[in-house]
Amino acid sequence: MTMDNELEDPLKPLEKICCPDDRQSTLSANLEDVHGVLSEIFLHKKVPIDVRQLFETAKNVSLYSWYVYRFHQVAELVGYSSLEMALKLRYRKEIPDAKPPMLKGLLLHAKDNNWIADEGFSDRMKRARRYAETQKTYEAIQQMKEEGESERIVDDPTEEEVCIAMEKMDVVGGIVSSAASVRNDLAHGSTTLDPKSIATLRTISEVINQLF
């Protein structure tokens, strides 16, 4: 544990710049695995080149989180910048005489005009399964309270329950409600430290790919 006035992650010594960050190396098997996953995340050729280049920068920063753990949030911030750029370009194409709104407004406009849809996200089934698991756990807790039980086994959701959860979900709505606040938190000074840049970039890529 560091003292309050000591940096946890100062500039790495020159002789250690190619040494993996201990926190990152416990999350992934090796650097090749991280690179392999990032290689599978891409923007298609119809996406404007400037957006694709900025997004590739975000992927490179995420890759280097293997060496500098705090690069995860830097990668997310650059990724959100590429998302905003893409939304502005699509907005100007549709409404050339209007000034594009901020990120939250752009996302709302994209949702309202069906530029993005739940079906465009590859992890939709995984999200539905988590949703169904959460719902079953909540229902079990409520039943335990009503019946005075101290514990109860919660079964995994059935495929039918997962399909019902998928119908109830609003993936796009969730992204719209969270993306701008997360981006603003990162952009305006944040203590967030979370190794989820790859998941964030995957979601961003699937939004952008639906825009063009």
Side-chain angles (χ1 to χ4, degrees):
M1 181 179 295
T2 61
M3 301 295 291
D4 289 344
N5 63 344
E6 292 182 358
L7 290 170
E8 182 178 351
D9 293 300
L11 181 68
K12 293 187 76 168
L14 186 61
E15 66 273 14
K16 293 184 178 181
I17 58 174
C18 292
C19 294
D21 190 301
D22 291 339
R23 293 162 293 186
Q24 180 66 18
S25 59
T26 60
L27 297 171
S28 306
N30 52 55
L31 181 59
E32 288 75 16
D33 290 340
V34 176
H35 186 275
V37 174
L38 283 166
S39 297
E40 295 172 353
I41 302 172
F42 63 92
L43 302 182
H44 59 67
K45 292 292 182 67
K46 292 183 180 179
V47 176
I49 186 64
D50 289 341
V51 176
R52 286 159 49 202
Q53 183 59 73
L54 189 56
F55 187 77
E56 289 300 306
T57 299
K59 286 170 58 179
N60 274 311
V61 178
S62 180
L63 176 65
Y64 275 82
S65 68
W66 180 261
Y67 302 105
V68 183
Y69 188 77
R70 290 180 183 271
F71 278 6
H72 277 293
Q73 272 54 68
V74 182
E76 288 185 311
L77 181 56
V78 179
Y80 281 119
S81 295
S82 69
L83 172 60
E84 185 167 18
M85 179 187 288
L87 286 163
K88 284 182 177 179
L89 289 173
R90 175 65 190 270
Y91 187 92
R92 290 186 178 121
K93 181 179 180 181
E94 301 284 332
I95 315 174
D97 297 328
K99 180 180 179 181
M102 303 297 285
L103 180 58
K104 180 64 174 291
L106 286 165
L107 287 165
L108 285 169
H109 186 84
K111 181 179 186 296
D112 293 342
N113 288 272
N114 298 314
W115 293 355
I116 47 179
D118 286 6
E119 292 76 13
F121 295 92
S122 62
D123 64 346
R124 188 179 174 217
M125 179 64 74
K126 186 183 296 184
R127 290 172 186 259
R129 190 170 297 279
R130 287 199 303 265
Y131 183 97
E133 289 171 350
T134 300
Q135 187 64 31
K136 292 199 74 168
T137 300
Y138 173 78
E139 291 172 355
I141 291 173
Q142 294 303 111
Q143 291 174 357
M144 286 169 57
K145 290 180 179 178
E146 294 172 1
E147 300 174 14
E149 297 177 351
S150 59
E151 61 181 29
R152 173 175 291 198
I153 296 175
V154 181
D155 295 328
D156 292 334
T158 64
E159 291 306 309
E160 181 181 1
E161 288 170 330
V162 172
C163 290
I164 292 173
M166 185 179 296
E167 293 176 359
K168 292 181 178 179
M169 279 193 322
D170 181 7
V171 177
V172 173
I175 292 171
V176 168
S177 65
S178 63
S181 60
V182 172
R183 192 286 306 269
N184 290 342
D185 177 63
L186 295 172
H188 298 136
S190 173
T191 58
T192 298
L193 190 59
D194 194 344
K196 60 183 177 64
S197 63
I198 291 179
T200 298
L201 293 180
R202 181 180 290 108
T203 298
I204 289 173
S205 72
E206 293 181 341
V207 174
I208 294 175
N209 280 331
Q210 292 186 64
L211 298 176
F212 300 96

